[in-house]
Amino acid sequence: LEMSLDRLTAGHRFDLTTWEVDAVSGKVMDLVQDPLRGLSAEQARADVREYLRLSNRAGELADEIERAYSDPTIGEPEDATRNQRAELAEIRNRLAGEARTVEAILERQLSEQIEAAGLTTAGLVWPPPRFRFTEPPQMLVLSPRDRIERLRSVDLKSNLDSVDRDRIEQGMALEQNLSSYVTGIGGYGVYPTMVIDRYGLPWTAETIAHEWIHNY
């Protein structure tokens, strides 16, 4: 089983340690550089709304591309999605450059709300609200064919596409005679927390607060 898992998921496994090192080091850098320095409240609100508008558009484009690759009537999905992929790459570059600032804005706003609600520890907001805009990993779940039982689960990268998901699922079925399913997950218990950024401001703000409550 382990040999099949290693071979079929090679290059697709989610590396939590690397993610944590990158996320924590980024938040420490924010403490030093302060991405909110000189930013007015009005500009902060505008930055958040524009970031989430772009994130929503990126999600729409990713869905369009995914549908094209899974549509058997589209013979050359790479050609058919050329414009969407170019727009998506441009948006993702913009989002990558703006994420730290928008994260810091929402972290500060949540801290103010927590303090106003009296949910402090020795006068401090603890733990400090810290999150990263990121897709949580996908999960490969293995089960016997004759009963419902989770034999094994493996964290996979969030950007796994339908072709790779199908290859892993079919490979495990053929090699190990197991039911296998690659699925998205709603969250991942880490700190800083993982928050999806494409569902608009109310959902995003609620999720950031929800995840902070877990850590609190």
Side-chain angles (χ1 to χ4, degrees), residues 32-75:
V32 176
Q33 297 181 345
D34 188 8
L36 303 185
R37 186 179 292 118
L39 191 67
S40 69
E42 181 180 356
Q43 185 60 53
R45 288 193 293 269
D47 286 351
V48 169
R49 285 183 163 80
E50 176 62 9
Y51 180 95
L52 293 176
R53 184 191 69 80
L54 288 172
S55 296
N56 181 263
R57 177 56 181 159
E60 292 174 348
L61 289 166
D63 288 343
E64 291 174 13
I65 294 167
E66 183 77 2
R67 285 196 298 269
Y69 272 86
S70 60
D71 187 344
T73 66
I74 298 178

Side-chain angles (χ1 to χ4, degrees), residues 107-184:
E107 288 167 354
R108 181 179 65 183
Q109 290 176 343
L110 177 57
S111 291
E112 292 169 353
Q113 293 298 315
I114 292 168
E115 191 168 4
L119 295 176
T120 56
T121 301
L124 299 174
V125 175
W126 192 263
R130 296 291 182 266
F131 76 95
R132 290 288 298 270
F133 280 132
T134 187
E135 291 284 333
Q138 299 184 52
M139 180 179 290
L140 168 65
V141 182
L142 301 177
S143 172
R145 287 186 175 276
D146 59 349
R147 63 187 185 278
I148 298 175
E149 177 187 349
R150 188 163 79 171
L151 291 176
R152 186 84 154 76
S153 59
V154 178
D155 293 334
L156 303 176
K157 292 179 179 179
S158 61
N159 61 356
L160 203 66
D161 62 24
S162 58
V163 174
D164 286 324
R165 288 196 296 270
D166 185 68
R167 181 184 60 80
I168 293 171
E169 290 171 351
Q170 295 300 322
M172 291 305 302
L174 290 171
E175 293 185 17
Q176 298 294 326
N177 193 32
L178 294 172
S179 294
S180 62
Y181 180 52
V182 178
T183 181

Side-chain angles (χ1 to χ4, degrees), residues 185-211:
I185 60 176
Y188 201 96
V190 292
Y191 184 84
T193 57
M194 298 181 180
V195 175
I196 301 171
D197 61 4
R198 64 178 182 273
Y199 296 129
L201 182 55
W203 186 94
T204 301
E206 181 177 336
T207 301
I208 295 167
H210 175 94
E211 294 300 326

